[in-house]
Amino acid sequence: VRKPTTVEVQFTPEQKGLYDSLLTFEKRALGAKHFDRNIPFMMTTIRRQAASSLFALAPFISDLLDRRLSELEFLSCDLEEDSEMAIVGELRDAAIHIGNLATKLPTEDPKFDALYTVVEQKQEQPNNKLIVFSTFRHTLAYLEKKLLEKEVRVGLVHGGVVDEERQGLRKRFEASAEEATALDVLLFSEVGCEGLDYQFCDA
């Protein structure tokens, strides 16, 4: 019997400020480039990335903003319109502000803390195996680092992991918790688990 449970976690004020500033920047930048056509749809990926894990996304935010600014600067040079140049200048200032917010983000991460509580609760059960999915590799890498810091026995599988290594990780994940090399948590991208049976894991 499947028992889906949603764990709701609120942003800290600093996280909410970064999230809102990032999405506002993206909305303005896309609007300037595409003239307000399908902007909500085009913002889907950045919204999902930021909601997945701001901490995982933070090291890449400046690059994302710089890329968007470069696109707008290229268009503005072609158009040579003062309004376009003004928007680019405003967005450049906003990008600097957002970069500072990302750099100064406090280390408190309620979302990871909530996940770690789930991990701890699962470790107390006879079947202690837990699979965690994420679409984004930056989130998976962040979670692996954080869980290892907590001395959780964790593995990571994504589309770039070769079949032989996947099979080895699966065997370690299936192994009894008493075995020294066993894994208790396995992190997956959406394509990472294809082709192997993980029915022994119930969460």
Side-chain angles (χ1 to χ4, degrees):
V1 178
R2 295 178 65 104
K3 297 179 181 179
T5 302
T6 299
V7 180
E8 293 188 358
V9 182
Q10 298 298 318
F11 280 131
T12 65
E14 294 86 358
Q15 291 171 344
K16 186 69 164 59
L18 175 57
Y19 179 86
D20 289 345
S21 298
L22 179 62
L23 294 191
T24 298
F25 175 96
E26 186 72 353
K27 183 177 181 180
R28 291 197 65 200
L30 288 171
K33 182 179 179 183
H34 299 283
F35 308 104
D36 297 326
R37 291 176 297 187
N38 298 319
I39 301 304
F41 175 76
M42 287 188 281
M43 288 184 63
T44 300
T45 297
I46 190 66
R47 187 180 288 113
R48 291 177 63 218
Q49 285 177 318
S52 176
S53 175
L54 272 176
F55 283 93
L57 184 62
F60 306 101
I61 283 178
S62 291
D63 289 341
L64 291 171
L65 302 184
D66 287 343
R67 193 178 311 126
R68 187 69 72 205
L69 283 170
S70 295
E71 294 169 357
L72 288 175
E73 286 171 348
F74 179 77
L75 288 175
S76 298
C77 288
D78 281 351
L79 295 173
E80 294 184 348
E81 294 182 7
D82 291 341
S83 61
E84 292 292 330
M85 296 302 292
I87 290 173
V88 171
E90 292 170 10
L91 287 174
R92 188 179 295 108
D93 291 340
I96 293 171
H97 173 67
I98 293 167
N100 289 333
L101 291 178
T103 302
K104 297 175 181 177
L105 197 62
T107 57
E108 176 191 4
D109 187 356
K111 192 171 185 182
F112 174 78
D113 293 342
L115 172 63
Y116 184 60
T117 297
V118 173
V119 172
E120 288 185 306
Q121 291 170 347
K122 188 60 178 165
Q123 296 312 298
E124 296 172 358
Q125 299 177 16
N127 183 350
N128 73 322
K129 306 300 179 181
L130 179 67
I131 287 177
V132 179
F133 288 99
S134 176
T135 304
F136 304 107
R137 286 196 191 181
H138 60 263
T139 296
L140 293 170
Y142 171 76
L143 292 179
E144 182 185 37
K145 176 178 178 291
K146 294 285 288 184
L147 289 170
L148 287 172
E149 289 173 357
K150 295 284 190 180
E151 298 185 350
V152 175
R153 299 185 299 181
V154 58
L156 172 58
V157 180
H158 52 70
V161 176
V162 297
D163 288 345
E164 184 177 340
E165 186 176 350
R166 290 189 199 192
Q167 292 168 5
L169 288 168
R170 184 200 175 280
K171 287 179 180 178
R172 292 177 61 195
F173 188 50
E174 187 177 19
S176 169
E178 287 72 32
E179 293 192 25
T181 60
L183 296 174
D184 302 321
V185 178
L186 209 49
L187 305 172
F188 278 105
S189 69
E190 291 180 331
V191 299
C193 64
E194 292 179 357
L196 293 174
D197 180 6
Y198 288 91
Q199 291 300 315
F200 59 84
C201 177
D202 65 0

